[in-house]
Amino acid sequence: MKTNYYTLHNGLDIPKIGFGTWQIKDPKVAYESTLAALKAGYRHIDTAAIYGNEESIGQAIIDSNIPRNEIFITTKLWNNAHSYEKTLKEIDISLKKLKTDYVDLYLIHWPNPLEFRENFEESLSETWRAMEEIYKVGKARSIGISNFMPHHIEKLLDNSKIAPMVNQIRLYPGFELEDVINACKKHGMLIEAYSPLGTGQIFTSKELEDIAKKYNKSIAQVCIRYIIQKGYLPLPKSQTESRIIENINVFDFEISNEDMEKIKNIPNYCGDGVNPDTCNF
């Protein structure tokens, strides 16, 4: 269904929900959960070099027998490769592991890694120059960023020819960084929400429990639907087939404006995450 896609600013369609694979490190589990997701109807798989599961995911995609052009694959550049030359090498490593000639989206995973922090602007500029080259030669059908705050975005745009299509950030009910969201919207970037269910504590929310009962849905489904209705792209992760199936079945109901406001204003049960300018990696 066309309505189940967003369109990036370069015209590329991206499925409105993706299967997140962060912390699925066991090769067998990564393979089986990705296969289960594809069987359930996901056509958007999100991974990263640092996740250590690109090979398992690539094999699962092949074994699914779904045509490659029907699956949207995202992977990410890790922090130890922030330079022009290293970035160009890293995309080839990821493509080999994923067993594909291209990814649909390639992201800079973090804006300001510890190793390159003393020369942040130069490092970011050279890394993005390589990302643009990767895009131009077709190894990535779109390029973007992850965990970037407004000041990182502005620094990147100061030295770029192509604006990022996506910013993937930590986002869930009770935790929405309005300054980041506004900066992304200003420059036409789609916001992807990783950890859309928090880190599990969100399931203790009485407010969400009551709303979920009202719609005869699970708390997870309400959270995912909320994010989609806000115009963001959720990336729920699960290793359990029943939950993988549940998490994608969110297109058959709509949350009212009143309940959307209630969800937005629930307490932050899950913490603020990592500051990219002070993280130790």
Side-chain angles (χ1 to χ4, degrees), residues 52-93:
N53 56 23
E54 287 175 315
E55 289 176 298
S56 299
I57 286 167
Q59 193 60 51
I61 288 169
I62 290 170
D63 292 349
S64 74
N65 293 318
I66 297 166
R68 170 66 185 90
N69 63 4
E70 293 181 15
I71 300 175
F72 194 103
I73 303 174
T74 299
T75 195
K76 309 177 192 77
L77 175 78
W78 186 237
N79 293 357
N80 61 355
H82 276 222
S83 75
Y84 180 78
E85 295 296 338
K86 287 180 180 178
T87 300
L88 294 180
K89 290 177 181 177
E90 285 299 308
I91 184 62
D92 287 338
I93 293 169

Side-chain angles (χ1 to χ4, degrees), residues 3-8 14-17 44 165-169 171 176 178 181-182 184-185 188-193 222-235 251 254-255 257 260:
T3 54
N4 289 349
Y5 289 79
Y6 293 116
T7 301
L8 302 178
I14 180 171
K16 280 189 176 181
I17 185 169
H44 177 179
M165 289 99 191
V166 165
N167 189 10
Q168 185 179 124
I169 60 174
L171 188 154
E176 296 177 52
E178 295 294 341
I181 290 166
N182 291 336
C184 292
K185 288 180 177 178
M189 284 179 242
L190 176 67
I191 296 157
E192 291 188 336
V222 166
C223 291
I224 293 164
R225 180 67 201 179
Y226 168 81
I227 289 168
I228 290 171
Q229 283 186 216
K230 293 281 286 189
Y232 316 141
L233 194 159
L235 299 165
F251 294 99
E254 188 164 336
I255 302 169
N257 291 338
M260 287 288 288

Side-chain angles (χ1 to χ4, degrees), residues 38-50:
L38 292 168
K39 182 180 177 183
Y42 292 81
R43 291 297 180 267
H44 177 179
I45 309 295
D46 181 273
T47 184
I50 195 64

Side-chain angles (χ1 to χ4, degrees), residues 58-226:
Q59 193 60 51
I61 288 169
I62 290 170
D63 292 349
S64 74
N65 293 318
I66 297 166
R68 170 66 185 90
N69 63 4
E70 293 181 15
I71 300 175
F72 194 103
I73 303 174
T74 299
T75 195
K76 309 177 192 77
L77 175 78
W78 186 237
N79 293 357
N80 61 355
H82 276 222
S83 75
Y84 180 78
E85 295 296 338
K86 287 180 180 178
T87 300
L88 294 180
K89 290 177 181 177
E90 285 299 308
I91 184 62
D92 287 338
I93 293 169
S94 284
L95 292 177
K96 184 177 180 181
K97 289 180 177 179
L98 287 162
K99 304 171 183 66
T100 184
D101 295 330
Y102 67 94
V103 290
D104 298 275
L105 176 60
Y106 196 42
L107 303 178
I108 298 177
H109 206 150
W110 289 88
N112 195 6
L114 182 62
E115 183 178 343
F116 300 96
R117 197 158 290 161
E118 289 185 7
N119 300 298
F120 156 65
E121 290 186 42
E122 180 184 354
S123 166
L124 184 60
S125 176
E126 286 299 293
T127 302
W128 188 252
R129 185 164 69 91
M131 297 288 284
E132 292 178 333
E133 181 68 20
I134 287 163
Y135 175 63
K136 288 174 185 175
V137 301
K139 291 182 180 181
R141 297 176 73 210
S142 59
I143 51 176
I145 53 182
S146 180
N147 297 296
F148 275 55
M149 302 294 106
H151 61 286
H152 304 127
I153 292 170
E154 293 306 322
K155 290 297 182 185
L156 184 149
L157 291 172
D158 283 345
N159 297 288
S160 66
K161 295 178 180 177
I162 302 169
M165 289 99 191
V166 165
N167 189 10
Q168 185 179 124
I169 60 174
R170 182 182 173 101
L171 188 154
Y172 51 84
F175 184 69
E176 296 177 52
L177 297 174
E178 295 294 341
D179 59 336
V180 180
I181 290 166
N182 291 336
C184 292
K185 288 180 177 178
K186 176 183 175 183
H187 297 291
M189 284 179 242
L190 176 67
I191 296 157
E192 291 188 336
Y194 73 80
S195 296
L197 308 178
T199 52
Q201 293 94 324
I202 205 163
F203 295 109
T204 65
S205 168
K206 183 65 168 60
E207 301 95 330
L208 284 175
E209 183 182 352
D210 290 342
I211 292 170
K213 285 179 180 176
K214 176 179 176 181
Y215 293 94
N216 196 28
K217 295 291 182 179
S218 69
I219 288 176
Q221 287 172 317
V222 166
C223 291
I224 293 164
R225 180 67 201 179
Y226 168 81

Side-chain angles (χ1 to χ4, degrees), residues 245-275:
I245 294 167
E246 176 185 286
N247 289 345
I248 200 174
N249 288 326
V250 294
F251 294 99
D252 60 349
F253 75 108
E254 188 164 336
I255 302 169
S256 71
N257 291 338
E258 180 184 2
D259 288 334
M260 287 288 288
E261 194 65 22
K262 287 180 182 176
I263 295 168
K264 180 181 179 180
N265 292 304
I266 68 166
N268 179 1
Y269 289 89
C270 312
D272 294 345
V274 175
N275 183 335

